[in-house]
Amino acid sequence: MAVQRVDAPTAMNLSVAFKALGDPVRLQLMSMIASAEGGEICVCDLTPAFEVSSSTISHHLKTLREAGLVDAERRASWVYYRPRPALMRQLSTLLSPDA
Amino acid sequence: MAVQRVDAPTAMNLSVAFKALGDPVRLQLMSMIASAEGGEICVCDLTPAFEVSSSTISHHLKTLREAGLVDAERRASWVYYRPRPALMRQLSTLLSPDA
DNA sequence: ACGCGGATTCGACATCCGTCGAGTTTGACA
DNA sequence: TGTCAAACTCGACGGATGTCGAATCCGCGT
């Protein structure tokens, strides 16, 4: 029950994603992105929701991007972030009791 | 779709658990504990599965314990670890697409 | 061409984190 | 009581991480 066996290389890979979610700001960013109306959200809507500087938000978004959890697309002056469900589903399955 | 909204205090709490899984050794420990025969596993069976020292394993197990992901019980000379499914299920649900 | 606002990158800094070896605790058993 | 093995704690060290402000990049509109 719960959590399938994971070998060392797999643990190495997946831990990057978990680590990315292991910061309060990033977890909240992820939740805002994943629950966004229309499947995406503008950075300009993310930044004002936090107390930290916009450069810090950018830095966190980069971490989520490099972890494979989100995708970014520039349109005009704005950048929109979108969730990447594949990896999220993989993490979810790993933690689910029936796995 | 995917990931319910999370407010700041909740993010603060849950990020501790994700951070705990955000290390390769701890993720593998978690997987071994959660998939253990009989629902528990001895530290003496965990330690030799890794290249790091036993004090490091102890340190990681403490992190998992303090994150609420596992429980420990001493019996005679040995300490047995058991998963705490409640929190794991919460994390899994948070990442599942239907949430 | 210029300036502007949104977003990222860069450089710096303080703090946190993973690791080790040494020392300590715990319980079993002679 | 003394010793042994299992597990944890402690102190220290180097590298990673979160944060900021300044500088830079990128499109747009004038």
Side-chain angles (χ1 to χ4, degrees):
Chain A
M1 95 185 56
V3 177
Q4 39 203 333
R5 276 281 173 136
V6 162
D7 58 24
T10 304
M12 192 78 90
N13 285 326
L14 295 183
S15 66
V16 174
F18 281 120
K19 187 185 300 186
L21 298 174
D23 176 272
V25 173
R26 284 197 299 266
L27 183 55
Q28 217 178 334
L29 281 171
M30 187 70 224
S31 112
M32 293 175 73
I33 294 169
S35 67
E37 296 286 321
E40 62 178 19
I41 186 170
C42 178
V43 173
C44 61
D45 290 327
L46 294 171
T47 303
F50 298 88
E51 297 300 318
V52 299
S53 73
S54 78
S55 70
T56 297
I57 295 296
S58 242
H59 174 66
H60 283 314
L61 288 172
K62 182 179 188 176
T63 300
L64 290 174
R65 236 162 41 225
E66 292 178 343
L69 287 164
V70 301
D71 243 354
E73 183 192 352
R74 170 160 224 139
R75 288 206 302 278
S77 285
W78 299 276
V79 176
Y80 297 87
Y81 277 76
R82 212 172 318 106
R84 295 198 68 71
L87 181 51
M88 295 174 52
R89 198 156 25 232
Q90 191 176 356
L91 300 181
S92 175
T93 301
L94 187 65
L95 295 173
S96 82
D98 54 50
Chain B
M1 92 182 58
V3 177
Q4 37 203 337
R5 276 278 174 136
V6 162
D7 59 23
T10 305
M12 191 79 88
N13 285 327
L14 294 184
S15 66
V16 175
F18 280 120
K19 186 185 300 185
L21 298 174
D23 175 272
V25 173
R26 283 196 299 266
L27 184 55
Q28 217 175 161
L29 281 170
M30 186 70 224
S31 112
M32 293 176 72
I33 294 169
S35 67
E37 295 287 322
E40 62 178 20
I41 186 170
C42 179
V43 173
C44 61
D45 290 327
L46 294 171
T47 303
F50 298 87
E51 298 300 319
V52 299
S53 73
S54 78
S55 70
T56 297
I57 296 296
S58 246
H59 174 66
H60 283 315
L61 288 172
K62 182 180 189 177
T63 300
L64 291 174
R65 235 161 44 224
E66 291 177 344
L69 287 164
V70 301
D71 243 353
E73 181 191 356
R74 170 159 224 139
R75 288 206 303 277
S77 285
W78 300 276
V79 176
Y80 296 86
Y81 278 76
R82 216 174 316 106
R84 296 198 66 71
L87 180 52
M88 295 175 51
R89 200 157 23 230
Q90 190 177 356
L91 300 181
S92 174
T93 301
L94 186 66
L95 295 173
S96 83
D98 53 52

